[in-house]
């Protein structure tokens, strides 16, 4: 791996950016940055896939800022992102790396003042960071003109597709009349991205880093905490044991996040909440409080699992088992970012066991029991080690055979050995679908 100075010399990027990056502790490029920056400088269309937390924002941000011609007053770069929080994050990162150059960057997203954003767009920014919904409003009302776009970046493309933004993306891309460079950045690589690339990119180059989404086990330790206690009580004990400096607790639903937030707050631990029921101002306030020293924990839905970066998060706690492999990796990717380390712990109750077995098979990485956890594999091994499964399978096979044989003979067969009529046995008959009522037959 080369350092940034060597990379900048090879690609012709202004070295004035080096001290700005070094202030943030960035000296060496990540693998995705080293692979994509030269291609973007050479005007290539790319599809880039890499784990969350590997520096994808700088991978496209550095080339875009370098190629912006600040003497021109037209919009030259467009970065599309799926959520408001990510729009805030990307805008802040791009402004930080553009200090050496007079580049105007404007954010266009929902949850903020429409008129203020419209005025900012009319002041001729060079780069616009936007969510699809608000950007389409601006296009239809002719507030924004995309005719001079040179660089189009679609960040978190897989999440865009998951959220149903495909039609919005197509509308926005078709609104750009100028010939432009297009780059798709994604943490996973679904088939839909390929079809999107074929439609809107020219001879695109694939850059695939960590296709299996695995994070180095040296950086990120993964555990499960299996308990047969009440899950809320188990979470409280776990928080007391680990005493996190900064932690995110992910919940599956908004209702569940409210419940967990209240339970932690009652224990007088510094905690904030983020979910889809909150306004943008409330979310921003929660993120701001979380960055303060007194606030240790943020309880969130998967809204927070993509693109948001908070420094020095040492623990990720999954209050329930994520339904998909991608959701799991996006959640735990909030820690162990770039060169940092972290731990991810998934809470499992008795009812979550089967879901966790299925998830673990797909992960293909080591997930150990955390200190104080019951061993979840004991029941699994017990089930596998006895002949209980074989007996069950044999009984089911015999049952099917008996049914088939009776059917071929033209006889009705029922496993509970009722009569031919299928009714109750004996002198009593059941009638009606509600409360059982009986009458004696003669």
């Amino acid at each position: 791996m080369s350092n940034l100075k060597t990379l900048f010399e090879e690609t012709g990027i202004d070295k004035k950016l080096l001290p700005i990056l070094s202030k943030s502790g960035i000296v060496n490029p990540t693998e995705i940055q080293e692979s994509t920056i030269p291609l973007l400088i050479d005007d290539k269309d790319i599809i880039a896939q890499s784990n969350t937390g590997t520096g994808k924002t700088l991978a496209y941000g550095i080339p875009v800022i370098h190629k912006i011609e600040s003497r021109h007053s037209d919009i030259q770069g467009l970065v599309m992102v799926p959520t408001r929080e990510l729009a805030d994050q990307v805008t802040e990162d791009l402004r930080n790396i553009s200090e050496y150059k007079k580049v105007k960057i404007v954010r266009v997203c929902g949850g903020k003042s429409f008129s203020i954003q419209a005025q900012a767009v009319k002041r001729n920014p060079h780069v616009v960071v936007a969510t699809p919904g608000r950007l389409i409003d601006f296009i239809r009302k002719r507030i924004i003109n995309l005719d001079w776009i040179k660089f189009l970046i679609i960040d978190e493309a897989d999440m865009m597709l998951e959220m149903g933004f495909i039609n919005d993306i197509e509308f926005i891309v078709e609104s750009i009349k100028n010939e432009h460079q297009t780059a798709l950045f994604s943490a996973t690589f679904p088939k839909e991205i390929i079809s999107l690339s074929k439609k809107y990119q020219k001879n695109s180059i694939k850059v695939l880093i960590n296709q299996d989404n695995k994070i180095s086990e040296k950086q990120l330790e993964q555990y499960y905490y299996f308990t047969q206690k009440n899950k809320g009580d188990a979470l409280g004990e776990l928080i007391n044991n680990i005493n996190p400096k900064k932690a995110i607790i992910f919940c599956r639903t908004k209702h569940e996040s409210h419940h967990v937030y209240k339970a932690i707050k009652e224990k007088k631990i510094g905690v904030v909440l983020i979910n889809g029921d909150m306004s943008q101002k409330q979310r921003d306030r929660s993120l701001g409080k979380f960055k303060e020293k007194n606030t240790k924990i943020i309880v969130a839905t998967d809204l927070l699992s993509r693109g948001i970066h908070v420094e020095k998060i040492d623990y990720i706690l999954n209050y329930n088992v994520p339904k998909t492999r991608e959701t799991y990796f996006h959640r735990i990717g909030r820690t162990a970012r770039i060169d940092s380390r972290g731990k991810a712990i998934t809470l499992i109750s008795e009812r979550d066991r089967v879901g966790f077995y299925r998830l673990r098979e797909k992960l293909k990485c080591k997930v150990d029991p955390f200190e104080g956890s019951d061993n979840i594999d004991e029941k699994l091994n017990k089930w596998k080690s006895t002949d209980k499964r074989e007996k069950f399978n044999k009984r089911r096979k015999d049952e099917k055979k008996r049914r088939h044989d009776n059917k071929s003979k033209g006889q009705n067969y029922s496993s509970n050995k009722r009569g031919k009529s299928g009714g109750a046995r004996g002198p009593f008959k059941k009638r009606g679908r509600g409360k059982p009522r009986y009458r004696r037959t003669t």
Side-chain angles (χ1 to χ4, degrees):
M1 181 187 286
S2 61
N3 58 31
L4 280 173
K5 187 176 180 181
T6 307
L7 181 63
F8 282 18
E9 287 173 354
E10 291 172 353
T11 54
I13 297 173
D14 197 329
K15 291 182 182 177
K16 291 179 182 176
L17 180 55
L18 287 173
I20 296 171
L21 294 173
S22 63
K23 282 181 186 177
S24 303
I26 302 169
V27 178
N28 296 316
T30 62
E31 196 172 352
I32 187 69
Q33 291 165 3
E34 194 171 19
S35 302
T36 57
I37 287 174
L39 294 173
L40 291 173
I41 293 293
D42 289 341
D43 300 324
K44 304 290 184 184
D45 284 2
I46 66 168
I47 308 174
Q49 179 271 328
S50 180
N51 282 345
T52 183
T54 53
K56 291 191 289 292
T57 305
L58 289 184
Y60 63 76
I62 290 172
V64 166
I65 297 300
H66 170 73
K67 295 173 78 173
I68 291 292
E69 297 179 31
S70 54
R71 65 180 184 276
H72 293 164
S73 58
D74 301 307
I75 299 173
Q76 299 170 48
L78 173 62
V79 181
M80 282 201 288
V81 295
T83 64
R84 305 165 191 170
E85 287 78 16
L86 189 53
D88 291 340
Q89 185 79 54
V90 170
T91 304
E92 184 182 346
D93 290 344
L94 293 182
R95 282 174 179 164
N96 287 340
I97 64 173
S98 63
E99 288 178 7
Y100 73 100
K101 201 172 183 179
K102 292 182 180 179
V103 176
K104 295 179 186 176
I105 302 166
V106 167
R107 174 192 56 224
V108 172
C109 64
K112 309 282 184 182
S113 170
F114 188 97
S115 58
I116 291 173
Q117 290 183 2
Q119 289 172 7
V121 168
K122 288 176 182 177
R123 294 191 191 106
N124 301 318
H126 299 104
V127 179
V128 172
V129 180
T131 53
R134 178 59 62 88
L135 182 60
I136 288 173
D137 287 344
F138 275 34
I139 292 170
R140 286 177 173 159
K141 293 180 180 180
R142 297 186 178 181
I143 295 171
I144 195 167
N145 180 9
L146 303 179
D147 289 347
W148 300 101
I149 293 290
K150 295 180 181 177
F151 324 106
L152 171 63
I153 309 294
I154 302 177
D155 197 4
E156 301 289 359
D158 54 343
M159 189 179 183
M160 290 269 210
L161 298 174
E162 284 173 18
M163 294 173 72
F165 284 136
I166 182 65
N167 294 330
D168 293 346
I169 291 171
E170 290 180 351
F171 176 85
I172 292 165
V173 175
E174 288 166 8
S175 300
I176 303 172
K177 306 302 179 186
N178 193 31
E179 190 173 329
H180 59 277
Q181 181 182 6
T182 305
L184 303 175
F185 281 80
S186 176
T188 57
F189 202 69
K191 293 177 182 177
E192 293 83 0
I193 287 182
I194 300 294
S195 59
L196 191 68
S197 169
K198 287 178 180 177
K199 195 170 183 179
Y200 296 112
Q201 290 185 308
K202 296 179 181 177
N203 303 318
S204 62
I205 299 171
K206 294 179 184 176
V207 180
L208 307 179
I209 313 290
N210 302 118
Q211 292 184 59
D212 56 1
N213 292 109
K214 288 175 70 174
I215 302 171
S216 168
E217 291 177 4
K218 291 181 180 178
Q219 278 187 265
L220 177 61
E221 299 172 36
Q222 298 174 53
Y223 300 98
Y224 68 80
Y225 189 85
F226 177 54
T227 179
Q228 297 185 12
K229 299 177 182 178
N230 176 280
K231 196 184 265 190
D233 295 338
L235 176 63
E237 289 178 10
L238 185 60
I239 291 171
N240 289 334
N241 291 339
I242 62 178
N243 191 22
K245 293 178 182 176
K246 291 286 179 184
I248 301 178
I249 300 175
F250 280 107
C251 301
R252 189 175 294 158
T253 65
K254 292 179 279 189
H255 173 77
E256 195 172 59
S257 66
H258 279 291
H259 173 73
V260 172
Y261 167 72
K262 287 178 182 177
I264 296 173
K265 195 173 182 181
E266 284 175 3
K267 296 181 180 180
K268 297 182 179 179
I269 298 172
V271 61
V272 291
L273 173 68
I274 283 190
N275 62 34
D277 283 342
M278 300 169 68
S279 67
Q280 189 60 42
K281 282 186 178 179
Q282 290 173 322
R283 293 186 207 171
D284 292 342
R285 197 179 301 121
S286 291
L287 275 175
K289 282 185 179 179
F290 183 55
K291 292 175 182 178
E292 296 174 1
K293 288 183 179 180
N294 296 334
T295 308
K296 290 186 175 183
I297 297 171
I298 186 166
V299 179
T301 55
D302 287 315
L303 180 73
L304 201 69
S305 66
R306 302 290 284 268
I308 307 302
H309 175 55
V310 180
E311 300 264 337
K312 297 177 182 177
I313 292 177
D314 50 345
Y315 281 94
I316 299 294
L317 304 179
N318 291 313
Y319 187 69
N320 42 42
V321 178
K323 287 187 176 180
T324 65
R325 178 177 179 273
E326 287 74 21
T327 302
Y328 177 80
F329 279 115
H330 288 312
R331 285 182 177 187
I332 67 174
R334 298 305 97 207
T335 187
R337 298 174 71 84
I338 306 182
D339 293 326
S340 62
R341 293 187 177 187
K343 294 179 181 179
I345 305 172
T346 301
L347 268 76
I348 305 167
S349 63
E350 184 66 33
R351 63 192 298 182
D352 298 324
R353 275 194 311 111
V354 176
F356 179 72
Y357 291 148
R358 289 172 182 164
L359 177 67
R360 191 171 57 175
E361 286 175 4
K362 296 174 184 176
L363 296 180
K364 298 178 182 177
C365 58
K366 191 177 180 183
V367 184
D368 296 319
F370 194 70
E371 184 181 348
S373 167
D374 298 332
N375 191 344
I376 199 170
D377 293 319
E378 280 184 4
K379 290 191 175 183
L380 181 67
N381 293 334
K382 187 177 179 182
W383 171 259
K384 287 180 176 178
S385 62
T386 62
D387 60 349
K388 189 175 180 182
R389 180 179 285 273
E390 284 75 11
K391 286 180 180 178
F392 173 78
N393 288 335
K394 186 177 183 301
R395 189 166 63 248
R396 188 169 61 174
K397 192 175 179 181
D398 292 343
E399 178 85 5
K400 285 183 178 179
K401 189 175 183 301
R402 281 196 297 271
R403 284 177 180 274
H404 181 269
D405 292 344
N406 281 276
K407 194 175 182 181
S408 62
K409 292 175 185 177
Q411 299 176 9
N412 290 326
Y413 175 77
S414 178
S415 60
N416 62 6
K417 299 180 181 179
R418 290 183 178 181
K420 288 184 180 179
S421 64
R425 291 171 290 174
F428 296 99
K429 274 191 175 180
K430 182 179 176 181
R431 64 181 183 180
R433 295 179 61 188
K435 188 175 179 181
R437 297 169 117 195
Y438 300 95
R439 64 183 175 85
R440 182 176 292 276
T441 58
T442 55

